């Protein structure tokens, strides 16, 4: 099953390259296919390097959630419909280039966060502290408290800027912001429980990295 998923992502990446190489109206969709398949494959690959004990089929994040799959489907439908109705909207190369740069930045930041955290990184919020669990504050964690979420946030919005999908740009931004706000609050409750004052001091010094998200409020 791992080989099937990896093969499927490789096939999608190859198709994306073929579309990207041409000058057709689907060129930017080829960029998107490459970005999407590379994101999911690298999630599994970096997890295999960092934390092989937590590795599973879910590490590809292909079945992240029903909402995630619905969002992807919605973006494909919007792109196709607008390409048929307003073909000139899908030929704004400078805008798609901005989206591609957002995607590259977001994915690189997320993978840097995963590599920096090492075995501390897990796709599932942990409720129990392991013996090897440490608070990581160096590297990209010195910039943001949640760099992997910051990267994913801008990556997801970037995919829709790349596709010139105005409706999904707004939808992805709002849905991603709400998801990460709730996820950060849930995770920070656990981190405060694990590390106490050490995490609270880190929280005071380093921002979450996401706009208007300060994390869980602590009553003094």
């Amino acid at each position: 099953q791992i080989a099937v998923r990896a093969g499927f992502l490789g096939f999608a990446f190859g198709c994306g390259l073929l579309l990207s190489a041409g000058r057709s109206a689907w060129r930017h969709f080829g960029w998107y296919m490459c970005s999407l398949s590379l994101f999911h494959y690298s999630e599994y690959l970096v997890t295999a390097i960092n934390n092989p004990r937590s590795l599973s089929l879910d590490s590809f994040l292909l079945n992240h959630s029903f909402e995630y799959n619905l969002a992807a489907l919605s973006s494909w439908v919007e792109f196709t419909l607008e390409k048929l109705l307003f073909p000139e909207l899908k030929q704004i190369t400078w805008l798609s280039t901005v989206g591609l740069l957002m995607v590259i930045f977001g994915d690189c930041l997320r993978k840097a966060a995963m590599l920096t955290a090492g075995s501390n990184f897990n796709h599932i919020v942990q409720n129990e502290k392991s013996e090897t669990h440490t608070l990581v504050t160096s590297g990209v964690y010195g910039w943001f408290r949640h760099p992997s979420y910051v990267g994913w946030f801008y990556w997801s919005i970037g995919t829709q800027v790349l596709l010139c999908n105005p409706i999904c740009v707004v939808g992805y931004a709002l849905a991603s912001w709400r998801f990460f706000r709730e996820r950060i609050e849930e995770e920070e409750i656990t981190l405060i429980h694990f590390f106490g004052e050490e995490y609270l001091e880190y929280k005071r010094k380093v921002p979450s990295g996401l706009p208007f998200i300060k994390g869980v409020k602590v009553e003094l």
Side-chain angles (χ1 to χ4, degrees), residues 11-38:
F11 176 77
F13 185 84
C15 291
L17 283 179
L18 290 175
L19 288 175
S20 302
R23 290 288 179 178
S24 72
W26 292 90
R27 182 187 181 195
H28 298 154
F29 195 83
W31 295 2
Y32 167 81
M33 288 181 65
C34 290
S35 303
L36 187 65
S37 55
L38 184 60

Side-chain angles (χ1 to χ4, degrees), residues 2-16 33-34 36-44 60-62:
I2 293 172
V4 169
R5 284 164 174 75
F8 168 75
L9 291 172
F11 176 77
F13 185 84
C15 291
M33 288 181 65
C34 290
L36 187 65
S37 55
L38 184 60
F39 172 83
H40 285 287
Y41 180 78
S42 58
E43 286 290 308
Y44 184 91
F60 283 108
L61 295 185
L62 287 171

Side-chain angles (χ1 to χ4, degrees), residues 23-26 28 87-94 96 164:
R23 290 288 179 178
S24 72
W26 292 90
H28 298 154
E88 66 283 354
L89 179 63
K90 303 305 178 183
Q91 299 299 311
I92 311 176
T93 300
W94 71 265
S96 291
C164 301

Side-chain angles (χ1 to χ4, degrees), residues 25-73:
W26 292 90
R27 182 187 181 195
H28 298 154
F29 195 83
W31 295 2
Y32 167 81
M33 288 181 65
C34 290
S35 303
L36 187 65
S37 55
L38 184 60
F39 172 83
H40 285 287
Y41 180 78
S42 58
E43 286 290 308
Y44 184 91
L45 180 62
V46 175
T47 303
I49 295 171
N50 265 357
N51 195 3
R53 289 182 298 177
S54 69
L55 197 64
S56 69
L57 284 174
D58 292 338
S59 300
F60 283 108
L61 295 185
L62 287 171
N63 56 340
H64 178 270
S65 65
F66 171 77
E67 291 79 8
Y68 181 81
N69 294 333
L70 181 62
L73 180 61

Side-chain angles (χ1 to χ4, degrees), residues 19-218:
L19 288 175
S20 302
R23 290 288 179 178
S24 72
W26 292 90
R27 182 187 181 195
H28 298 154
F29 195 83
W31 295 2
Y32 167 81
M33 288 181 65
C34 290
S35 303
L36 187 65
S37 55
L38 184 60
F39 172 83
H40 285 287
Y41 180 78
S42 58
E43 286 290 308
Y44 184 91
L45 180 62
V46 175
T47 303
I49 295 171
N50 265 357
N51 195 3
R53 289 182 298 177
S54 69
L55 197 64
S56 69
L57 284 174
D58 292 338
S59 300
F60 283 108
L61 295 185
L62 287 171
N63 56 340
H64 178 270
S65 65
F66 171 77
E67 291 79 8
Y68 181 81
N69 294 333
L70 181 62
L73 180 61
S74 298
S75 72
W76 304 339
V77 170
E78 180 182 353
F79 180 87
T80 303
L81 290 177
E82 289 175 351
K83 180 179 176 299
L84 294 174
L85 298 174
F86 314 104
E88 66 283 354
L89 179 63
K90 303 305 178 183
Q91 299 299 311
I92 311 176
T93 300
W94 71 265
L95 185 59
S96 291
T97 301
V98 170
L100 182 61
L101 292 175
M102 289 176 66
V103 164
I104 293 171
F105 165 78
D107 202 9
C108 287
L109 177 60
R110 178 168 172 83
K111 297 312 183 292
M114 294 172 69
L115 290 169
T116 302
S119 61
N120 292 288
F121 186 90
N122 199 301
H123 284 122
I124 301 173
V125 175
Q126 301 298 290
N127 295 317
E128 295 183 6
K129 183 181 179 183
S130 67
E131 295 181 358
T132 59
H133 202 169
T134 59
L135 179 61
V136 181
T137 60
S138 61
V140 291
Y141 286 87
W143 306 345
F144 314 118
R145 294 200 309 275
H146 302 279
S148 66
Y149 296 157
V150 176
W152 198 348
F153 178 76
Y154 287 107
W155 174 88
S156 65
I157 298 173
T159 61
Q160 301 313 298
V161 175
L162 189 161
L163 291 175
C164 301
N165 280 352
I167 297 174
C168 279
V169 165
V170 176
Y172 270 51
L174 294 175
S176 297
W177 185 88
R178 181 177 179 181
F179 171 79
F180 287 121
R181 183 195 62 182
E182 295 174 354
R183 184 71 177 256
I184 285 173
E185 289 180 356
E186 176 189 358
E187 185 172 303
E188 290 196 339
I189 290 173
T190 301
L191 289 169
I192 292 171
H193 176 69
F194 285 176
F195 301 106
E197 185 59 34
E198 183 183 6
Y199 185 78
L200 291 175
E201 181 65 20
Y202 172 62
K203 185 176 186 297
R204 283 191 287 268
K205 293 180 178 179
V206 181
S208 71
L210 288 168
F212 309 110
I213 297 180
K214 296 184 178 181
V216 66
K217 295 181 179 179
V218 180

